[in-house]
Amino acid sequence: MPQLAPPCALQPMTEELLDSILTIENVAFTHPWSRGNFADALRSGYHAQVLLDGDTVLGYFVAMQILDEVHLLNLTVSPLHQGQGLARTLLGALCDWSRHTAHAQWLWLEVRESNQRARRLYEHYGFAQVGARKKYYPVHHGERETAILMSMSLWP
């Protein structure tokens, strides 16, 4: 498990944290997840973690396990706290859980083609592009953007 600088802590996402999470989500994205999306993920038992500094939500992720695969659905760091390695911390926690608790063989994700910062993070972590989904993400005024499909083997 990645080391966190005190007083940072990683804990399970709960409905009580959704107001703070939605504040971040709405600032970070032009097409954010809704409260219903997060609530559905929690009810479905998806693996969802929040990185906290005291009572302040710094970031979070939501992932879904399907057999021997884990699919990262959302990984977000508050724009106020980006550039501090928190996305790497969250991704490291997800990889550890996927390997050692979920016993998954593969980790999958989709990322906007234009999100070069996230793509570099994922590539640095060992993800490789395995495909693209044309016109997957909404952009604006009915336009859509390609999603880059990436995967990483969790076992050498």
Side-chain angles (χ1 to χ4, degrees), residues 17-27 33-35 38:
L17 293 169
L18 289 186
D19 286 341
S20 297
I21 290 166
L22 286 167
T23 298
I24 293 169
E25 188 77 6
N26 286 312
V27 171
W33 276 27
S34 68
R35 178 178 295 277
F38 284 104

Side-chain angles (χ1 to χ4, degrees), residues 113 132-139 142-147:
E113 186 173 44
R133 300 181 197 277
K134 302 285 184 195
K135 299 181 180 184
Y136 186 78
Y137 287 113
V139 182
E143 295 177 24
R144 301 196 62 89
E145 179 177 2
T146 296

